[in-house]
Amino acid sequence: MLLAKLIRCSSSRQSAPHCLSQQITPHCITDWTCIQLPFRACLSERPLVRWVNTSAELCACEQGQHQPSEDFRSTQQGLPQVAPAARSTNPEEIRKFAKLANEWWNPHGAFRPLHAMNPVRCKFLRDALCLSFKIDPVQAEPFKDLSFLDVGCGGGILSEALARMGANVTGIEPQHDNISAAIAHAQADPVVAERTTYLAVTAEELASSGAQFDAVMGLEIIEHVDQPQQFLKTLGSLTKSDGALFISTINRTPRGYALAILGAEHLTGVIPKGTHDWNKFLTPEELFMLTEGTGLELEQVAGMVLNPWNGTWALSTSTEVNYIAYFSKVSLVDRLQQKQQPGLHSKAADLASA
C-alpha cells in the first residue's frame, strides 16, 4: 500500500503524469550516440579543470586503457574550500572508483551495466524534463539552452548523452583520474567537448560558489555517500527554482541484495566485488522522506528492470530493485501559497500515515 501510494503520487503540476513509466512518448530517441548536434558554447567560459588533449590519450581512452596525463591538475579557481566534516563524500568510495578510471569507456568492463542502463535513464530524463519545461520531445536537441549538472559523473557516460541532446552539461567528481578520463573521451567529439565542462570538485564545494542549474542529476551515486540527507539538501541548493532533480539508486530489499550484490558482484562478476553496500541502499519511501524541508517535491518515480535474456533495461512500475525518481524544486512563492491554502498536506505526511 505504501509503495503503491508513492508510485501513484500526484504531481503538483497539471501537465505531469502520475507515473512516467505509463506515459512514455513513442517518439523518444534511445540511440543517443547517433544524434549529431550543432556547436554550442560550454556552460563555463573558463573551465576549472585543465583539458587533456593529446591523441595518445584519446586513443588509450577509446581502448579502455586511459591514464591521466602527468600535468593534469584541478585549479578550483574561485571555489570556497569546504571543511571535510561538511562533505557527504566517502574517501574510501572515492579511492575505490579511482582504481577503475581506465574502465569507464570499456563497454565490456566494470561499467558495462551503466552503459546498458544509460538509454533507459535518458528516456526517463527526457520525458520528464520535456513535460516539466513544456518542450517538444520529438526534436533532436530538446535541451538546448538548458544547464544540467551531472553529480558523480565518473567518465561522463550520462554527461555525453545529455550534451548530445543539446544541454550545456557540467560534470563533477571529487577524483581527478575520473575527470581526466571524462575530458579525454569528450575530446573525441567536438560537439560533446564544446557542451561539457568537467570539474574535480565535490557537490558541496560547487554549491558554496552559488552555482545553480536547470536540472541536477544524481544517478547511481547516493548509495555511495555517507550522509544522504545532507547530499540531497546540497543537490537541492544546486537546483534552480522550478528546476528538476533526478535521483536513481537501488532499493534496500532482499531482491535488491540478491541481484545487485550476490548476483552482479559475487556470482557473475559483472561489477567488481565491494562496489555496493546493502546498508547504504535507500527505499523509495526513505528517499522521499529525506527530501522533507529541502523545497523538493516528488513528481514521478519508476522502476528500472533488466531483461536477463538480452541485457536491455526498461522502465517499470516495480521499484523492488533499481528505481529513478524526479523531484521538482518548488519556488518560495509556491511554498507560501501552499501554506496559505487550507487542507494541504505534504506527501511525506501522507506516506507516514499510510
Side-chain angles (χ1 to χ4, degrees), residues 319-332:
T319 60
E320 195 173 1
V321 184
N322 294 84
Y323 65 95
I324 184 169
Y326 157 42
F327 297 86
S328 63
K329 175 73 173 290
V330 183
S331 66
L332 179 60

Side-chain angles (χ1 to χ4, degrees), residues 39 52 78 161 212 317 338 349:
F39 167 89
V52 179
Q212 286 192 316
T317 56
Q338 290 177 4

Side-chain angles (χ1 to χ4, degrees), residues 114 117 121 158 217-223 246-250 287 302 304 322-327:
L114 287 184
M117 185 187 291
R121 298 192 304 180
L158 177 65
M217 288 75 180
L219 307 190
E220 278 64 56
I221 184 65
I222 197 169
E223 65 269 24
F246 294 88
I247 299 291
S248 63
T249 188
I250 305 171
L287 177 64
M304 296 185 291
N322 294 84
Y323 65 95
I324 184 169
Y326 157 42
F327 297 86

